[in-house]
Amino acid sequence: MPENTLPNTLPYAGLRVVEFTHMVMGPTCGMVLADLGAEVIKVEPLAGDNTRRLLGSGAGFFALFNRNKKSIALDLQSPEGREAALRLVATADVVSENFKPGTMKKLGLDYASLKQLNPRLVYVSHKGFLPGPYDHRTALDEVVQMMGGLAYMTGRPGDPLRAGTSVNDIMGGMFGAIGVMAALAQREKTGHGQEVQSALFENNVFLVAQHMMQYAVTGKPAAPMPARISAWAVYDVFQARGGEQIFLAVVSDSQWAVFCDAFGFADLKDDARLKTNNERVVAREWLIPMLRERIARYGVAELSAMFERHALPFAPITKPEDLLDDPHLQATGGLAPITLPDGRETRTVLLPLTLDGERPGVRLNPPRPGEHTRELLAELGYSPEEIDRLTKT
């Protein structure tokens, strides 16, 4: 398996994480820690995590968020399976879970129980809500987007629309990982672990906090994005020749001058009504239709070349599948080869950061169900006969 970062040079090399997770939020936390070098062991049911079998928009969840992990399959409903899980946890630095409130307590795998076994343990829970009046509710990314203002801001007035990706699940898992990092740093000082909690709803509120503060500062509610009064005069999607679309932005007075000069719009540059950005914002009602008509004469390639040459912000409208062939991602190592659990080869997206100039890479493919069960149980002291009994479905 290609590696662009040696395992023993990664910051969390030597750290063991045991995760009881499924879907996106919890696995994202584990993926971040795994990419940064931790040994992450995913505890799955004997039949495998149900996330493996999702269709449609969930088909990519398992492959993306479970790389660089080992898989152990245990029946946590049986005393023997729970005992094996406890033995595993006793060797761990971190436990991560994202089951419904009360589930881990019923299994004897909650923080209060496990810290008696391992006082240095850092335990991270990923939930719908932090403890409070809502914490009994069942949450999904879409639920908190609707109740947390994000769907309102994304859609047109009267037509709330969820964001096009699992923003709260993914960011909630990231904040869980940040909490783990903080708790590990604290453990270096105190010698004791602690419980970390991350939640979908609170993550969503953090995402819309800028709009909340806009209201607090101005006294005026933020309008949904499609109906907003833009802070900049030219900040729109335009249709180019042939029907293709491109986003173009001109966000300062100096950029306006460059834009007008580049396209030969001397009449607009000299128009006294358009001298400053704020004046151009006021003039948007007639300015933008005029610009749309003029821009439509150019193809997307021409516009992209012109904006890039003059250091103006632009972006052709791109579909997710097109990014697999993006020249920047390919040139910078943002995509890495990976083998899916069914044996097919593809590429995956790496963490959006570098460490000493290197992108943390893929060390382990997404595991097959229970792929590492026998070796991990043997490491915990189980005999071959005991392993046979524990792995029998």
Side-chain angles (χ1 to χ4, degrees):
M1 192 68 206
E3 299 178 18
N4 60 358
T5 308
L6 294 175
N8 61 1
T9 69
L10 291 167
Y12 286 114
L15 189 83
R16 172 168 278 191
V17 179
V18 176
E19 65 168 39
F20 301 86
T21 70
H22 61 294
M23 298 296 282
V24 175
M25 190 184 188
T28 297
C29 175
M31 181 198 70
V32 170
L33 297 172
D35 280 11
L36 295 177
E39 178 193 28
V40 177
I41 300 169
K42 182 179 184 67
V43 180
E44 301 190 59
L46 295 180
D49 181 354
N50 285 332
T51 308
R52 294 175 178 274
R53 295 179 281 277
L54 293 176
L55 302 177
S57 60
F61 287 175
F62 190 90
L64 177 59
F65 299 112
N66 290 283
R67 63 170 179 250
N68 288 333
K69 299 179 183 180
K70 298 177 179 179
S71 169
I72 183 171
L74 297 172
D75 178 8
L76 296 180
Q77 302 303 318
S78 72
E80 296 81 8
R82 288 195 296 276
E83 172 60 26
L86 288 171
R87 284 203 209 179
L88 185 61
V89 167
T91 71
D93 297 281
V94 178
V95 164
S96 175
E97 65 90 13
N98 70 330
F99 283 91
K100 291 180 180 179
T103 299
M104 297 300 280
K105 186 174 183 178
K106 289 179 183 177
L107 295 171
L109 296 169
D110 57 308
Y111 177 62
S113 300
L114 296 185
K115 72 176 180 179
Q116 304 301 321
L117 175 70
N118 184 355
R120 288 176 54 81
L121 185 69
V122 172
Y123 189 102
V124 56
S125 291
H126 304 85
K127 301 300 183 186
F129 306 90
L130 292 180
Y134 297 159
D135 64 9
H136 65 285
R137 297 185 185 181
T138 300
L140 300 168
D141 205 315
E142 195 147 343
V143 167
V144 300
Q145 287 194 40
M146 294 293 172
M147 68 182 291
L150 183 57
Y152 173 83
M153 290 302 300
T154 304
R156 296 181 296 271
D159 185 20
L161 181 67
R162 68 155 286 165
T165 188
S166 304
V167 288
N168 293 298
D169 278 312
I170 295 169
M171 282 191 63
M174 291 169 59
F175 275 111
I178 292 170
V180 167
M181 295 172 189
L184 290 170
Q186 183 77 357
R187 190 177 75 174
E188 290 299 308
K189 301 174 183 177
T190 67
H192 297 288
Q194 62 180 283
E195 184 176 17
V196 174
Q197 293 181 316
S198 177
L200 293 174
F201 178 63
E202 281 75 8
N203 182 84
N204 188 94
V205 172
F206 186 76
L207 284 173
V208 300
Q210 65 191 84
H211 305 304
M212 297 164 65
M213 290 306 297
Q214 177 184 339
Y215 175 73
V217 170
T218 67
K220 298 178 181 178
M225 293 299 284
R228 76 197 187 287
I229 298 175
S230 176
W232 299 283
V234 182
Y235 201 76
D236 292 85
V237 174
F238 292 83
Q239 185 163 304
R241 189 178 63 240
E244 292 184 277
Q245 292 180 306
I246 187 170
F247 172 81
L248 303 174
V250 180
V251 298
S252 69
D253 295 338
S254 60
Q255 285 188 1
W256 174 251
V258 169
F259 169 73
C260 289
D261 288 341
F263 287 90
F265 297 159
D267 58 326
L268 299 181
K269 184 178 180 182
D270 295 337
D271 193 321
R273 299 171 296 174
L274 304 175
K275 288 298 180 185
T276 68
N277 178 70
N278 285 352
E279 288 174 311
R280 292 190 294 275
V281 169
V282 172
R284 275 179 57 86
E285 186 174 352
W286 60 267
L287 173 62
I288 295 302
M290 181 186 296
L291 287 177
R292 291 194 188 285
E293 183 178 344
R294 297 187 184 190
I295 292 297
R297 303 168 190 166
Y298 298 87
V300 163
E302 294 174 276
L303 291 167
S304 297
M306 186 79 77
F307 268 65
E308 186 164 8
R309 185 160 62 249
H310 292 89
L312 295 170
F314 73 99
I317 307 305
T318 303
K319 297 176 183 177
E321 61 267 26
D322 297 335
L323 294 171
L324 290 168
D325 298 311
D326 183 88
H328 178 83
L329 294 176
Q330 291 182 330
T332 59
L335 302 172
I338 201 166
T339 303
L340 301 176
D342 63 9
R344 286 180 296 152
E345 303 287 336
T346 186
R347 284 167 292 166
T348 193
V349 180
L350 299 180
L351 290 183
L353 55 82
T354 63
L355 296 174
D356 200 20
E358 295 285 344
R359 298 284 285 267
V362 176
R363 305 186 313 281
L364 294 172
N365 292 307
R368 300 185 302 277
E371 180 177 344
H372 305 91
T373 300
R374 299 193 74 87
E375 68 179 74
L376 288 168
L377 289 176
E379 178 190 307
L380 295 173
Y382 283 91
S383 69
E385 294 75 22
E386 290 173 319
I387 292 173
D388 287 339
R389 288 196 296 273
L390 279 166
T391 56
K392 187 179 295 183
T393 56

